[in-house]
Amino acid sequence: MWRSKMAASDRSADGVDHILEPLCFPEQPNPPHPGDPGDPDSHRPSSCRGGAETLSCLFCPETLPATQEDVLLKHLLLQHNLVIADVKLVADLPKYLLYWKGRFLEQPITDFCSEIKTNSTGPVEKQERYFLLCDVLPEDRALREKLQQKRLEEALEQQQKERDDRGFRRVCMFCNDEFAGNRADLLNHMAREHAFSVGLPDNIVYCDELLDTLQSKVDNLQCLYCEKTFKDKMTLKDHMRKKAHRRINPSNRQYDRFYIINYLELGKTWEEVQREDDRELPDDKDDDWSEWRARPVAAVCLFCDLRRDTADDIYAHMKKVHDFDLQHLRAELNLSFYQQVKLVNFIRRQIHQNRCHACRDQFRCRGDVLTHLRERRHATTLPPAAAWNQPQYYFPTYENDALLCALPDSDSEESDAGRSAGDRVPVVGEQNPLENAT
């Protein structure tokens, strides 16, 4: 199915911060594209339209709702002796069936399908012929690839539409907090405040439909992981907490359509995509990467939402507006590169949690924190090093934090042997991101 890293900071009952997974800076709002259709289903693949399309038999007038796919496949097998291979990997089954219905009217089925005989050594009258339609046939392969590409384009268009949409408004399914404008705010809130993560918001598509599905299960007192039904909300809540079921089940294919990874490659499930190892790819020296255009990542201020293309512009802004001089602190305290990383992640975490990084006082909102920093001149005041020079702050508070990439190395290069034990970078085993997504 899916997933990657998502938000988060969390606090345990003892008041200690525990880093779950990095947050993600919100996308910059983009103006809507002229001519975007107003139909909410206009960018949705047919497999996500709630059965609006019908499935047509390839040989007779029989039609069924898209939700009765298994019924139609059984009809094709029993009535017409036809089997469609890997039908679950066909991106748009209604269109696939209509295409082959037309082709079978033009040419006999034997021109396209492999023929299989049962009881081939027995009497002719007891033999039965079955036909297999699969992507070994170049025409079938081309059709599947075309439908897959179309579905990917639709999903990406829908995902961009959701990012640009500022009309979103929804109440959290676990509390009464309401969120408006950016769907990622609600998803991050559920991960941070309720330990319920559906994955990185950037990986999700058809978000409203996903939230509707989850809300329906909660309203029906159904566990979101094992899907058992309980007598009341309190019992359900206790079950999900005690069983660590505050997540969705990655084996439940109902959720596949909500994750963009499932639209990427023809004939592969998300498990196969994740298992691929790029190191095994052949080295093709003829590959031309000259047209690659990496998407620029802007640096973001430690204290406000200002973005600039270069870290130098952000340094200047923080010094002028917030009276925070990171470069001066680096020189004054002789901070190594890794200490700078920890300091930046520490400050980002405190500001995200509406706390002063100097005195650790808690405030109602970000604006109150900035007012406090300005009035008390706490911006360049740091707490004792024991508060921020901790291994947990090696891990980024925001996974797309360009400021971390721009931090300068120490003037004198430190060797691994000479670096103090407190500054050694921990070696973390690589982990499948799918395991932590829910």
Side-chain angles (χ1 to χ4, degrees):
M1 211 157 31
W2 354 317
R3 318 200 231 292
S4 179
K5 291 180 282 187
M6 178 166 162
S9 60
D10 194 10
R11 303 189 74 193
S12 65
D14 57 9
V16 178
D17 288 341
H18 297 283
I19 295 179
L20 301 179
E21 292 175 341
L23 300 159
C24 190
F25 288 119
E27 292 286 334
Q28 284 286 78
N30 296 315
H33 298 287
D36 280 349
D39 180 4
D41 282 343
S42 60
H43 293 305
R44 299 174 61 190
S46 59
S47 59
C48 298
R49 291 178 185 165
E53 294 193 36
T54 58
L55 304 174
S56 301
C57 176
L58 303 178
F59 306 98
C60 69
E62 181 77 18
T63 59
L64 291 167
T67 54
Q68 297 188 30
E69 176 182 312
D70 291 341
V71 177
L72 181 71
L73 295 177
K74 181 178 179 180
H75 167 81
L76 289 173
L77 175 63
L78 298 180
Q79 300 299 321
H80 305 291
N81 292 5
L82 176 72
V83 176
I84 300 176
D86 296 321
V87 70
K88 296 296 184 183
L89 299 179
V90 176
D92 191 331
L93 187 58
K95 287 186 173 62
Y96 179 88
L97 295 173
L98 285 175
Y99 176 88
W100 282 114
K101 186 180 181 75
R103 292 293 282 136
F104 289 165
L105 290 174
E106 297 170 351
Q107 295 176 234
I109 189 173
T110 51
D111 288 354
F112 305 105
C113 297
S114 302
E115 185 176 345
I116 304 170
K117 287 185 179 181
T118 62
N119 195 24
S120 58
T121 59
V124 175
E125 62 272 12
K126 292 187 177 181
Q127 294 180 1
E128 285 190 275
R129 293 196 308 167
Y130 287 87
F131 300 95
L132 177 66
L133 181 60
C134 64
D135 63 0
V136 173
L137 179 70
E139 185 175 351
D140 186 271
R141 177 74 181 181
L143 174 61
R144 293 180 185 228
E145 289 177 345
K146 181 178 179 181
L147 294 175
Q148 179 77 13
Q149 180 63 28
K150 178 63 176 175
R151 190 178 70 159
L152 173 60
E153 291 171 359
E154 291 174 340
L156 291 175
E157 288 178 15
Q158 174 65 19
Q159 189 181 57
Q160 188 61 51
K161 184 179 178 182
E162 291 175 5
R163 289 176 177 175
D164 296 341
D165 177 27
R166 292 295 177 263
F168 173 80
R169 183 175 296 275
R170 197 179 190 104
V171 175
C172 173
M173 69 181 72
F174 301 111
C175 65
N176 294 323
D177 289 356
E178 184 176 26
F179 295 83
N182 193 331
R183 291 162 176 80
D185 292 340
L186 172 57
L187 299 178
N188 289 340
H189 162 82
M190 291 194 296
R192 182 179 63 251
E193 301 298 334
H194 306 291
F196 179 79
S197 171
V198 295
L200 185 67
D202 280 350
N203 289 340
I204 292 175
V205 67
Y206 307 112
C207 183
D208 292 346
E209 190 177 343
L210 171 60
L211 292 172
D212 288 342
T213 300
L214 298 175
Q215 184 69 60
S216 175
K217 291 181 184 294
V218 171
D219 291 344
N220 291 321
L221 305 178
Q222 197 173 15
C223 173
L224 296 175
Y225 183 81
C226 68
E227 302 190 344
K228 291 181 180 178
T229 302
F230 295 84
K231 62 181 180 179
D232 54 48
K233 282 194 174 182
M234 186 57 66
T235 306
L236 171 62
K237 180 179 178 181
D238 288 343
H239 162 82
M240 292 178 67
R241 176 177 57 83
K242 292 177 181 178
K243 296 292 187 179
H245 281 188
R246 288 179 290 191
R247 53 198 174 107
I248 60 179
N249 192 338
S251 299
N252 187 341
R253 299 300 178 188
Q254 177 186 14
Y255 299 112
D256 283 7
R257 67 182 183 275
F258 302 123
Y259 295 87
I260 204 69
I261 191 174
N262 292 300
Y263 298 85
L264 296 182
E265 193 163 352
L266 175 65
K268 290 186 179 179
T269 62
W270 64 269
E271 297 102 325
E272 293 171 310
V273 173
Q274 286 298 135
R275 283 198 298 265
E276 288 184 343
D277 187 347
D278 289 343
R279 290 172 296 181
E280 297 177 359
L281 295 177
D283 182 16
D284 189 350
K285 296 182 179 180
D286 294 332
D287 283 349
D288 182 6
W289 291 70
S290 60
E291 296 184 1
W292 177 270
R293 294 291 183 270
R295 182 177 181 179
V297 179
V300 181
C301 174
L302 289 175
F303 304 99
C304 67
D305 294 330
L306 181 80
R307 295 167 179 257
R308 288 293 182 266
D309 291 337
T310 67
D312 288 340
D313 290 341
I314 289 296
Y315 293 147
H317 160 80
M318 291 192 296
K319 183 177 180 181
K320 179 179 179 180
V321 176
H322 303 293
D323 194 28
F324 179 82
D325 192 341
L326 181 59
Q327 294 169 311
H328 174 73
L329 284 174
R330 168 180 170 265
E332 182 181 42
L333 301 177
N334 193 28
L335 299 178
S336 69
F337 171 78
Y338 299 101
Q339 289 172 328
Q340 294 175 73
V341 168
K342 288 186 283 188
L343 180 59
V344 167
N345 288 327
F346 169 78
I347 294 176
R348 285 218 188 274
R349 178 54 51 94
Q350 306 313 307
I351 298 301
H352 169 72
Q353 294 176 336
N354 296 328
R355 287 204 298 257
C356 171
H357 65 272
C359 64
R360 311 298 294 280
D361 284 354
Q362 183 80 45
F363 295 89
R364 182 178 57 85
C365 63
R366 174 84 64 90
D368 291 347
V369 180
L370 297 183
T371 300
H372 166 84
L373 289 172
R374 184 174 61 255
E375 293 177 349
R376 301 292 297 273
R377 302 181 66 82
H378 276 188
T380 52
T381 303
L382 298 183
W388 57 267
N389 195 17
Q390 297 289 331
Q392 69 192 63
Y393 295 114
Y394 279 121
F395 301 94
T397 300
Y398 291 88
E399 71 169 7
N400 51 344
D401 193 348
L403 198 61
L404 293 176
C405 302
L407 292 173
D409 291 332
S410 302
D411 292 335
S412 58
E413 289 291 325
E414 295 181 302
S415 67
D416 289 341
R419 189 179 301 137
S420 65
D423 286 337
R424 289 190 185 129
V425 180
V427 177
V428 181
E430 186 175 355
Q431 202 169 22
N432 188 336
L434 303 180
E435 296 175 358
N436 290 330
T438 55

